[in-house]
Amino acid sequence: MATTDELLAANLHGVFGERDAVERRAAAAAIYTDDVRFVDPEETVVGPDAVVAKAAALLDGAPGFVFADEGPTYLAGDRAALAWTFGPEGAAPVARGVDVLTFRDGRISEVLTLLA
């Protein structure tokens, strides 16, 4: 079973930061529940396929951009949070946010993305 830190990293880098569609889908299959919910200011999507499509659309719209962890992880019961940045590799980020993940049975059941 993956650790909380491994699940946080896999969500940010293995799904949302992964540009290879096959690798992204494999990461999602390994870490999300079948009914995972992704919530951000734009919309709520449900299911691993919808989350993968959300990640793909984000990356397709931002060629050369990368995600980076920003600070420590925070833990509380079945939830954890990780701050991140997003922007051109080697340059100042253009976006900042925090992902709050909820876990169930060793997998991610919800991703709540808060934007700065």
Side-chain angles (χ1 to χ4, degrees):
M1 184 180 298
T3 68
T4 300
D5 284 337
E6 289 169 340
L7 289 169
L8 285 162
N11 176 68
L12 185 64
H13 301 292
V15 176
F16 280 87
E18 178 57 61
R19 293 194 175 272
D20 180 273
V22 173
E23 293 293 323
R24 183 184 316 118
R25 187 163 301 284
I31 65 168
Y32 295 136
T33 61
D34 290 340
D35 62 346
V36 63
R37 290 172 39 94
F38 175 88
V39 180
D40 72 3
E42 294 177 356
E43 64 182 336
T44 297
V45 300
V46 178
D49 290 341
V51 176
V52 166
K54 179 83 174 177
L58 175 67
L59 292 171
D60 289 348
F65 280 35
V66 295
F67 281 98
D69 300 6
E70 185 171 66
T73 59
Y74 298 89
L75 308 172
D78 64 349
R79 291 189 177 86
L82 175 67
W84 49 262
T85 61
F86 186 61
E89 190 164 12
V94 298
R96 294 178 184 279
V98 174
D99 286 340
V100 180
L101 278 55
T102 303
F103 306 104
R104 185 175 71 236
D105 300 327
R107 292 180 173 252
I108 299 168
S109 60
E110 183 175 73
V111 179
L112 170 62
T113 297
L114 308 171
L115 301 175

